[in-house]
Amino acid sequence: MSAWQLQMDLGELAQGRFDKGNPAFVAKRLAESPTGEIWLMESICERENMRKALHRVEHNEGAPGVDGMKTTQLRGYLRRHWEKIKASLLDGTYKPFPVRRKEIEKPDGGVRQLGIPTVLDRLIQQAVAQVLQELWEHTFSEFSYGFRPKRSQQMAIQQARCYVEEGYTHVVDIDLAKFFDRVNHDRLMSRLAQRIQDKRVLRLIRAFLTSGILVGDLLEEPGEGTPQGDPLSPLLSNIVLDELDQELEKRGLRFVRYADDCMIYVRSRLAGERVMQSVSRWVVRKLKLAVNEAKSSVSRPWKVRYLGFRITRIFGATRIGLHEKSLRRFRQKVRGITARDRGRSVEALVRELNEYIRGWWAYFRTGNSQNLTRPLNDWILRRLRAYVWIQWKLPRTKVRNLLARGVHPNWAKALGNSRKGPWRISKQSPVMAALPENYFTQKLGLLLLG
């Protein structure tokens, strides 16, 4: 079997031409030739697979790792050193760098610890993930939506809405405590070995898991866990939690899982408490993971925040809405961007605001309605009017600018010399007329919700 033929097989697999009901056949087809030669690493190093991986790493950008190399430098580095890198992958001697530790604050408090690999290691991990995805994707659960092609958070919340609509109006939320930090390496490698016959690939994945974490000048060697922030961890987490999916399906439970966020839908609170106890015991005993009992609960869909949304049921009709915590986080972020002491031009402020609004709206448009977006837009405009008012500074400047925008002289003088704060001034009708919505949307290019 040639490497070219193997790539043809990968393409056929992606298009569903192989028997999807026979994972062992698919794994063997990818991992071993009829003569016993091992080909999976060759498939990872194949030119087209690496080209796709490089494009993905460059597109995602991201911070440098411990070696300081940026994504913009990676392509030139590969031109000079790829043959040597490829040889080390094929002979099984490639050694990853340690990852760089970075802590980011969680919206609900605490910190999330990210591991930032070097850009070269991110490239190799991405190439590995692309090939391994073909081995596992077709066997993952229909109700698993995280980090999978053509699946999204919106699809997960729509599935949850369907459950509620069918009468499953109690939610079991089992919180896996520090899931990414507590994945058992031996169990994970054992599960990978069920489909990967190429020992070089297994050694490479083990090397990534144990490469160490650089905290300041100290190197920590983790005995468990997969670092959040690298391209391979999402796939590995799905492989680990696929066992949970299979168990829930075997029990006939209605569930939705996105990464380590798993919700189980039942018809009564009593059933929910029974399921929570039973599944929690199974997770601890079988997966060797910890369950955070303080954060695990049985509740109603309209009280639970799942992926930033909540599901309401009024007079028999179910709807997806924005959870109040998500709305509160949106307002906090906009307040930070439009803080009046930032000293930035309003043009620069609008550009930063647009970047945030564009991403936020792309994600949350499913849970928004006109009753919500219009007040939010009015609030954003008021924040910007208050910001402009601060920038005008002196009373005479305020009066001059109001007059230039057609405000009656009496109003211009009264408002320009007023002692009222910018937030109170921003709702005055002459100021709203001087700084109308189209001034921000047309002249400055502000993006509004909806």
Side-chain angles (χ1 to χ4, degrees), residues 3-15 17-18:
W4 176 84
Q5 181 60 48
L6 182 61
Q7 283 307 117
M8 294 297 292
D9 290 345
L10 280 169
E12 290 177 356
L13 172 62
Q15 296 174 35
R17 296 177 189 167
F18 285 159

Side-chain angles (χ1 to χ4, degrees), residues 80-126:
R80 299 189 300 272
H81 301 286
W82 170 242
E83 290 304 321
K84 182 179 178 181
I85 296 167
K86 180 179 179 180
S88 67
L89 289 168
L90 294 177
D91 64 22
T93 60
Y94 183 84
K95 299 295 182 185
F97 282 91
V99 299
R100 180 167 64 85
R101 169 67 54 81
K102 182 178 181 181
E103 294 183 347
I104 60 173
E105 293 184 4
K106 293 182 179 180
D108 299 331
V111 295
R112 177 176 288 110
Q113 295 181 342
L114 297 181
I116 303 177
T118 65
V119 292
L120 177 59
D121 285 342
R122 293 208 291 267
L123 172 73
I124 304 303
Q125 288 195 35
Q126 181 63 39

